[in-house]
Amino acid sequence: MTSTVPALGTRTAEGSALQAVLLDMDGTLVDTEGFWWDAEVAVFGSLGHALDEAWREVVVGGPMTRSAGFLIEATGADITLPELTVLLNDGFEERINSVLPLMPGAARLLAELAAHEVPMALVSASHRRIIDRVLTSLGPEHFALTVAGDEVERTKPYPDPYLLAAAGLGADPARCAVIEDTATGVAAAEAAGCHVVAVPSVAPIAPAHRRTVVPSLEHVNLPFLHGLMGY
């Protein structure tokens, strides 16, 4: 999904160095990481394999090819990666309602950024079919563009999705704030040269240079994001 993006000079608060905000989806804006794990457990259960809870930290936040490939190798399940990908996407969609639970502070943050005409992009390792379904809960009007994991040759932890999003918004990656919940997503954003706000969902994430860690989106607002640009 794409839409017309206004010129850079009209998009940000006057004098601000912040040019755009790029947001992850699962576990960052919508409370779906549990749905994914439940789908994985159910699919592998149907194949006669139990998943180790410790694997949850391994598969969270990554592209479908990586997480599904890991689980096939770890369990020895007799299934191909394309077959498993279809089953996992189907299992996830079966578990979500027409309206998904948003993470605390997500709706307020999206509304605040939209009110101040800050360009936003949704950047997810999930496939297009999943993103389009979830957008009905997030509000597609909030995002000038969206990037899906099956639409780039290399998805997270590579920088490609965030570089693509920044370019699509006409923004300098160094003037973009990225909000992520996993180490995989953080690695992608940092490799792209963005400032990162980490809101850990399943596994802890340590603070670092150009990386700020907060307990929830309730701690993030527009002045906070502007302040990152000098960090």
Side-chain angles (χ1 to χ4, degrees):
M1 185 203 80
T2 58
S3 63
T4 302
V5 181
L8 261 179
T10 67
R11 290 195 264 146
T12 57
E14 185 176 355
S16 169
L18 177 68
Q19 293 182 342
V21 178
L22 317 177
L23 303 107
D24 174 55
M25 187 178 76
D26 293 297
T28 299
L29 292 176
V30 287
D31 191 6
T32 52
E33 295 294 6
F35 290 115
W36 280 115
W37 179 247
D38 289 346
E40 290 160 348
V41 169
V43 168
F44 278 90
S46 70
L47 298 172
H49 299 276
L51 300 188
D52 189 322
E53 183 69 23
W55 296 342
R56 186 171 182 176
E57 290 191 14
V58 179
V59 300
V60 67
M64 180 75 74
T65 51
R66 191 201 72 183
S67 57
F70 168 83
L71 293 173
I72 290 174
E73 183 176 354
T75 60
D78 184 18
I79 189 171
T80 67
L81 186 58
E83 290 170 338
L84 181 57
T85 296
V86 171
L87 291 178
L88 291 177
N89 278 325
D90 288 346
F92 175 80
E93 288 196 271
E94 289 172 1
R95 283 166 172 76
I96 61 176
N97 299 316
S98 57
V99 178
L100 279 167
L102 301 190
M103 299 300 288
R108 187 267 314 153
L109 178 61
L110 292 176
E112 180 182 4
L113 294 176
H116 288 85
E117 298 184 344
V118 178
M120 289 179 276
L122 190 67
V123 183
S124 177
S126 290
H127 289 186
R128 171 56 56 189
R129 61 179 282 195
I130 300 299
I131 288 181
D132 287 345
R133 177 77 179 273
V134 174
L135 274 172
T136 61
S137 295
L138 287 174
E141 69 278 1
H142 288 126
F143 304 100
L145 62 87
T146 63
V147 178
D150 58 340
E151 295 174 343
V152 291
E153 185 174 345
R154 301 189 309 173
T155 189
K156 304 172 188 179
Y158 293 100
D160 305 34
Y162 282 113
L163 292 173
L164 179 63
L169 296 176
D172 178 356
R175 297 302 182 189
C176 292
V178 169
I179 305 179
E180 273 280 359
D181 73 306
T182 68
T184 299
V186 166
E190 290 180 340
C194 304
H195 294 264
V196 179
V197 179
V199 191
S201 59
V202 175
I205 299 173
H209 178 59
R210 293 169 65 93
R211 181 198 310 167
T212 303
V213 181
V214 297
S216 82
L217 292 178
E218 293 178 315
H219 294 256
V220 181
N221 56 24
L222 186 53
F224 174 92
L225 294 173
H226 282 313
L228 295 178
M229 296 300 105
Y231 172 42

